[in-house]
Amino acid sequence: MKYKDLIKKMTLEEKASLMSGKDFWQTMDIERLGINNMFLADGPHGIRKQAEAADHLGLNASLPATCFPTAATVANSWNEDLGEIIGDYLGKEAVAQQVNVLLGPGINMKRNPLAGRNFEYFSEDPYLAGKMAAGMIRGIQSHGISACVKHFAVNNQEERRMSIDTIVDERTLREIYLTAFEIAIREGKTKTVMSAYNMLNGSYTNENIHLMQEILRDEWKYDGVVVTDWGGSNDRVAGLIAGNELEMPTTAGETNQEIIQAIKNGRIKAEVLDECVDRLLDLIFTTEQVYKLPKKEIDKEEHHRVAQKAAEESIVLLKNEGNILPLQKGKKVAIIGDFAKDARYQGAGSSIVNPTRLEHTLDCLEESGIVSIGFEPGFERYGKMSRKKVDKACVLAKDADVVLLYIGLDEATEAEGLDRQDMKIPENQLELLHALHKVNPNIVAVLSCGAAVEMPWIDKVRGLVHGYLAGQAGARAVLRVLSGDVNPSGKLAETYPLRYQDTPSFYNFPGKEVSVEYREGMYIGYRYYDTANVNVLFPFGYGLSYTTFEYSDIKVTNDGVTFKLTNSGHVAGMEAAQLYVGCKTGGIFRPNKELKGFKKVFLNAGETKTVTIPFDDKTFRYFNVKTNKWEIEEASYEIMIAASSVDIRLVDTIFIKGTGAPLPYDKSKLPSYYSGKANNISVEEFENLLGHKVPVANWDRLKPLGYNDTIAQCQYAKGVFARVAFHSITFAHWFLRNIGKRSTANLIMMSIYHMPFRGIARMTGGIINMPMLDGILMMVNGQFFKGLNHVLRERKKMVKVDKVKSTIAGAAKEM
């Protein structure tokens, strides 16, 4: 331990106090020992340090900060260096706002296109996500503060996120859902990890010994701090035993007492607490060093330009029929779509950033050189039909050479706390598109959303530019791509299926009650589509350019692959070359190909460069469930250099000697996994993969409701009070949606409907404690008056204790 002498000076109460927050965003301090508090702030793509009352849902405004493109956007750059640059600027701003721990990046896999926080996550591929995250972490931590990689792990749905049990087999867990974390932790060397809300195979992630000790601490040798997601602690003592040092936010000392009692009765050894305190002290002392240096002012203009550069490199050109783009000089352009007036540039929830400035398309048109003949909104932002707006847009479009149509998903559709209902663009926007096509077929659509959408309408546009959620400078960046000032080089970090029903997790998303079963196993995203030969709209890694690239002269050695890349077109540009590897034997089921490397290369017109992509420890490995280790299968491997997962330009093979591990599977019991057609797996075959029975997935309606049951389950409660409350909540949600207050309606789902009862205590900062919660549960379970009396009695006790504490604290100050 680094701080053994200091820890010896602490009382048991002081040690326990460090294990939970002082308030919503700060850790506890111990003034007499010179231990200061830390400030933690949201920050996947910009600092969200709240100046006034704190909340976790982005309700109250934060201090102004640069809003960079979201992770889903930056991943399309396929540029680790760009991730590091963004991290560098995030770190500078975090230091300027006196933040010790920046809560990001988020690197959960995009298992399903409807997951509500997909806009915060990089990719459906763990290698790409891990590499981009590692770069960002290095940038953030170069300033002496800590990044916080999240949400560890398998947090892939918002519905019932605080209590859902994720059922996943060990190999899929390791290869798909933990590899990005492994890269971020080992290569990025993050100082902090945030545990997820959900359960994993029967235990909450922050209490899961296999996840937190055997993998994170023992295998990956992680010696940093683990912090709960806000309100994510279930059993505080079990979490501490697993090595989850910090619980956030504050519980007003309630869980400190649980730790103290556990030490006294022997449930926790004193050394376990000391080790947790030691790791937390190291985080405090190392991240506060930067604040002893002279304070540096932030150049907001410079940071804005970096946000613009990041957006420019991340924009994806998806369609360019007849080379309608870049727009020819002098062409008359009609600007249509509400998002051109008010940019859609970030998601909603805890990651929402208050930008230092915000550019909108209409404000940037003049300097872009694009000749605009006018603007019409064309549609109501939140889905309401308006024939008048459509008609006015069509009148404008008739006189244009080209229509720039800004469409996408609104802020209420993509938000933390709830999953999307479908993959569709709102109907009123499609009505506008169809009407415009009748009067002017020269339509270039500019799409703004943070995740995949269906595009049955794609034949109605000649050009399609996907800006994703491009941050505060995204509008100008898109215009520079449209005008040709920037040659687009973004490539998709996720697959766009033709329709939602084609997705491998279609039958198993989301988990509605107790659990969610990952029956598709490792076959998520392109791993499924390419192996099962399912046609897609746009494949993983796809993106067009205003120039062309030729690949040649592949050479494969034991160290990696080398090839030549030539810009065969007429303008300078960047190409994201991708390395895929496929095993030629069938002993162990695998996807046809998996991403194992990539490199972004800039080339002038006519220029050729030799590109090398090295192999690493992840190139040929697989996780063997029999040996419980990473192994290598002895086989010939196909080495593919590609422009996308389906656009393979160069191929060679290499024989790799294996580790001699026994085959882990009985092929006859896993036919769907060996064929790759894993979108509709039977429970029996899934159990063969798991190696055990799946737990019951439905609520037991006859059981009394407990701490980890949700408000949604009150529909089955014995207490009339609880059932009335449930129906009132559902009516309020329905009513607010129907009168157009969708954001407010969403808040009900986010902060009430799917909240487990323990969250009432964990998220109220001590206003309601666990004994009071016991009384609430009595009321819910049919003992209304007994429960009410219990709540009032416990409340009275708590007020009395608080008064005593205040008196003692006041006396101590006077001394």
Side-chain angles (χ1 to χ4, degrees), residues 761-782:
R762 298 295 191 228
M763 292 292 280
T764 54
I767 294 171
I768 296 174
N769 62 17
M770 293 301 280
M772 290 169 68
L773 184 60
D774 290 335
I776 292 171
L777 284 169
M778 288 179 200
M779 296 162 71
V780 165
N781 289 313

Side-chain angles (χ1 to χ4, degrees), residues 516-796:
V516 55
E517 296 168 8
Y518 285 34
R519 293 195 191 183
E520 72 281 358
M522 66 175 58
Y523 294 102
I524 75 166
Y526 73 90
R527 284 171 167 80
Y528 166 70
Y529 300 115
D530 292 358
T531 307
N533 294 315
V534 176
N535 289 330
V536 299
L537 179 64
F538 296 116
F540 177 78
Y542 175 85
L544 300 174
S545 170
Y546 295 150
T547 190
T548 52
F549 298 95
E550 290 181 0
Y551 295 69
S552 63
D553 199 18
I554 184 171
K555 291 183 174 64
V556 178
T557 69
N558 287 330
D559 296 322
V561 56
T562 300
F563 58 95
K564 288 181 179 174
L565 185 63
T566 301
N567 182 341
S568 52
H570 302 292
V571 293
M574 289 185 280
E575 172 73 341
Q578 302 154 41
L579 164 65
Y580 295 90
V581 175
C583 184
K584 302 282 278 183
T585 71
I588 298 159
F589 68 82
R590 301 171 185 254
N592 276 359
K593 65 179 81 75
E594 296 183 273
L595 183 75
K596 297 296 181 179
F598 57 93
K599 185 154 284 189
K600 189 81 171 274
V601 183
F602 174 82
L603 294 162
N604 286 310
E607 185 180 10
T608 297
K609 286 183 180 177
T610 299
V611 180
T612 299
I613 301 179
F615 297 152
D616 61 21
D617 63 325
K618 296 166 187 68
T619 305
F620 303 107
R621 74 179 190 177
Y622 76 96
F623 192 83
N624 188 304
V625 293
K626 265 192 180 174
T627 64
N628 197 37
K629 290 193 312 186
W630 292 101
E631 305 283 4
I632 294 174
E633 184 180 7
E634 186 162 306
S636 290
Y637 289 83
E638 205 165 53
I639 306 301
M640 294 163 268
I641 298 299
S644 81
S645 71
V646 300
D647 186 4
I648 310 301
R649 301 294 182 91
L650 303 170
V651 180
D652 202 348
T653 58
I654 185 172
F655 180 80
I656 299 294
K657 190 168 175 56
T659 50
L663 292 178
Y665 303 115
D666 181 343
K667 191 172 183 178
S668 65
K669 292 182 178 179
L670 301 168
S672 302
Y673 295 106
Y674 274 88
S675 71
K677 294 176 180 176
N679 64 320
N680 194 9
I681 302 284
S682 69
V683 66
E684 291 80 15
E685 190 173 353
F686 183 51
E687 287 177 343
N688 287 335
L689 181 68
L690 282 174
H692 58 79
K693 292 284 186 185
V694 297
V696 177
N698 299 320
W699 290 318
D700 184 345
R701 271 96 167 131
L702 300 177
K703 270 176 57 179
L705 297 185
Y707 294 144
N708 288 316
D709 293 311
T710 63
I711 308 300
Q713 288 168 261
C714 283
Q715 60 190 296
Y716 310 118
K718 290 181 181 177
V720 175
F721 151 77
R723 295 198 301 275
V724 168
F726 167 78
H727 289 298
S728 300
I729 290 164
T730 52
F731 174 77
H733 178 260
W734 172 86
F735 179 74
L736 288 166
R737 280 189 68 87
N738 277 273
I739 63 170
K741 302 283 187 182
R742 288 178 59 205
S743 294
T744 310
N746 286 349
L747 282 175
I748 291 174
M749 301 303 285
M750 287 189 276
S751 58
I752 302 174
Y753 192 81
H754 293 303
M755 173 84 76
F757 282 98
R758 65 178 162 79
I760 297 171
R762 298 295 191 228
M763 292 292 280
T764 54
I767 294 171
I768 296 174
N769 62 17
M770 293 301 280
M772 290 169 68
L773 184 60
D774 290 335
I776 292 171
L777 284 169
M778 288 179 200
M779 296 162 71
V780 165
N781 289 313
Q783 297 177 295
F784 182 83
F785 292 108
K786 182 180 179 182
L788 181 61
N789 285 332
H790 188 90
V791 170
L792 295 173
R793 187 167 61 251
E794 292 299 332
R795 174 70 185 164
K796 195 173 179 181

Side-chain angles (χ1 to χ4, degrees), residues 184-359:
I185 288 164
R186 286 184 155 174
E187 297 181 20
K189 302 191 184 305
T190 186
K191 296 177 182 179
T192 311
V193 171
M194 182 187 290
S195 56
Y197 281 129
N198 52 282
M199 299 172 81
L200 169 60
N201 291 328
S203 65
Y204 281 94
T205 59
N206 77 310
E207 302 168 11
N208 192 305
I209 296 295
H210 178 54
L211 186 67
M212 290 293 173
Q213 288 290 344
E214 295 171 4
I215 297 175
L216 180 64
R217 302 287 186 189
D218 298 342
E219 186 179 323
W220 296 351
K221 308 303 180 189
Y222 178 67
D223 60 359
V225 167
V226 177
V227 58
T228 66
D229 203 341
W230 265 234
S233 175
N234 171 52
D235 181 327
R236 184 64 190 104
V237 174
L240 200 69
I241 291 168
N244 199 141
E245 286 83 5
L246 182 59
E247 176 189 25
M248 292 297 288
T250 183
T251 59
E254 184 177 13
T255 54
N256 301 347
Q257 291 303 314
E258 293 174 14
I259 294 169
I260 291 165
Q261 288 306 311
I263 291 284
K264 288 180 176 177
N265 64 28
R267 187 180 169 194
I268 303 179
K269 292 180 180 178
E271 300 80 49
V272 171
L273 177 59
D274 287 353
E275 285 175 10
C276 289
V277 170
D278 191 65
R279 287 193 287 257
L280 188 70
L281 288 175
D282 194 51
L283 185 64
I284 293 169
F285 293 145
T286 57
T287 59
E288 68 183 9
Q289 291 302 310
V290 68
Y291 299 113
K292 295 174 182 176
L293 301 172
K295 189 175 179 182
K296 294 180 182 176
E297 290 298 315
I298 294 298
D299 184 339
K300 292 180 182 178
E301 186 57 37
E302 180 191 354
H303 285 231
H304 183 79
R305 287 196 301 270
V306 171
Q308 180 182 316
K309 170 70 171 63
E312 288 171 359
E313 198 173 327
S314 304
I315 291 164
V316 188
L317 177 61
L318 292 175
K319 185 175 182 181
N320 195 15
E321 185 184 304
N323 291 322
I324 193 169
L325 294 173
L327 295 169
Q328 294 176 21
K329 292 202 181 301
K331 287 282 186 183
K332 295 186 295 181
V333 176
I335 312 293
I336 295 172
D338 186 76
F339 297 149
K341 179 170 65 71
D342 293 306
R344 174 80 213 286
Y345 64 101
Q346 66 174 330
S350 64
S351 68
I352 199 163
V353 178
N354 179 15
T356 54
R357 63 189 270 201
L358 178 57
E359 292 178 335

Side-chain angles (χ1 to χ4, degrees), residues 272-562:
V272 171
L273 177 59
D274 287 353
E275 285 175 10
C276 289
V277 170
D278 191 65
R279 287 193 287 257
L280 188 70
L281 288 175
D282 194 51
L283 185 64
I284 293 169
F285 293 145
T286 57
T287 59
E288 68 183 9
Q289 291 302 310
V290 68
Y291 299 113
K292 295 174 182 176
L293 301 172
K295 189 175 179 182
K296 294 180 182 176
E297 290 298 315
I298 294 298
D299 184 339
K300 292 180 182 178
E301 186 57 37
E302 180 191 354
H303 285 231
H304 183 79
R305 287 196 301 270
V306 171
Q308 180 182 316
K309 170 70 171 63
E312 288 171 359
E313 198 173 327
S314 304
I315 291 164
V316 188
L317 177 61
L318 292 175
K319 185 175 182 181
N320 195 15
E321 185 184 304
N323 291 322
I324 193 169
L325 294 173
L327 295 169
Q328 294 176 21
K329 292 202 181 301
K331 287 282 186 183
K332 295 186 295 181
V333 176
I335 312 293
I336 295 172
D338 186 76
F339 297 149
K341 179 170 65 71
D342 293 306
R344 174 80 213 286
Y345 64 101
Q346 66 174 330
S350 64
S351 68
I352 199 163
V353 178
N354 179 15
T356 54
R357 63 189 270 201
L358 178 57
E359 292 178 335
H360 304 283
T361 300
L362 297 184
D363 302 329
C364 305
L365 271 175
E366 192 172 331
E367 68 182 67
S368 72
I370 294 172
V371 180
S372 169
I373 64 168
F375 163 75
E376 286 293 340
F379 60 85
E380 295 280 355
R381 193 178 191 91
Y382 295 106
K384 188 178 176 184
M385 294 289 186
S386 173
R387 172 48 57 184
K388 183 178 177 183
K389 289 192 173 184
V390 171
D391 291 343
K392 288 176 78 173
C394 288
V395 170
L396 179 66
K398 282 178 186 176
D399 296 328
D401 296 319
V402 177
V403 174
L404 282 185
L405 176 62
Y406 284 74
I407 57 175
L409 300 178
D410 60 63
E411 295 84 351
T413 300
E414 293 185 289
E416 178 183 354
L418 69 158
D419 300 309
R420 287 159 60 201
Q421 297 303 301
D422 55 48
M423 280 184 67
K424 303 177 191 303
I425 293 288
E427 194 60 38
N428 65 335
Q429 296 183 34
L430 298 186
E431 180 189 90
L432 170 65
L433 170 58
H434 295 312
L436 289 171
H437 187 262
K438 289 175 183 175
V439 300
N440 190 338
N442 293 323
I443 299 171
V444 173
V446 176
L447 189 60
S448 297
C449 54
V453 293
E454 294 172 349
M455 300 184 196
W457 42 265
I458 194 160
D459 62 330
K460 297 286 172 66
V461 301
R462 291 185 60 198
L464 178 58
V465 172
H466 200 336
Y468 267 72
L469 300 178
Q472 66 181 51
R476 188 188 301 269
V478 167
L479 285 172
R480 282 172 55 78
V481 167
L482 294 169
S483 68
D485 289 340
V486 168
N487 188 353
S489 64
K491 294 196 172 191
L492 293 175
E494 60 189 318
T495 308
Y496 275 56
L498 286 165
R499 54 185 195 140
Y500 178 55
Q501 290 88 331
D502 293 338
T503 57
S505 55
F506 172 73
Y507 293 101
N508 295 284
F509 179 90
K512 286 288 185 182
E513 296 192 2
V514 173
S515 63
V516 55
E517 296 168 8
Y518 285 34
R519 293 195 191 183
E520 72 281 358
M522 66 175 58
Y523 294 102
I524 75 166
Y526 73 90
R527 284 171 167 80
Y528 166 70
Y529 300 115
D530 292 358
T531 307
N533 294 315
V534 176
N535 289 330
V536 299
L537 179 64
F538 296 116
F540 177 78
Y542 175 85
L544 300 174
S545 170
Y546 295 150
T547 190
T548 52
F549 298 95
E550 290 181 0
Y551 295 69
S552 63
D553 199 18
I554 184 171
K555 291 183 174 64
V556 178
T557 69
N558 287 330
D559 296 322
V561 56
T562 300

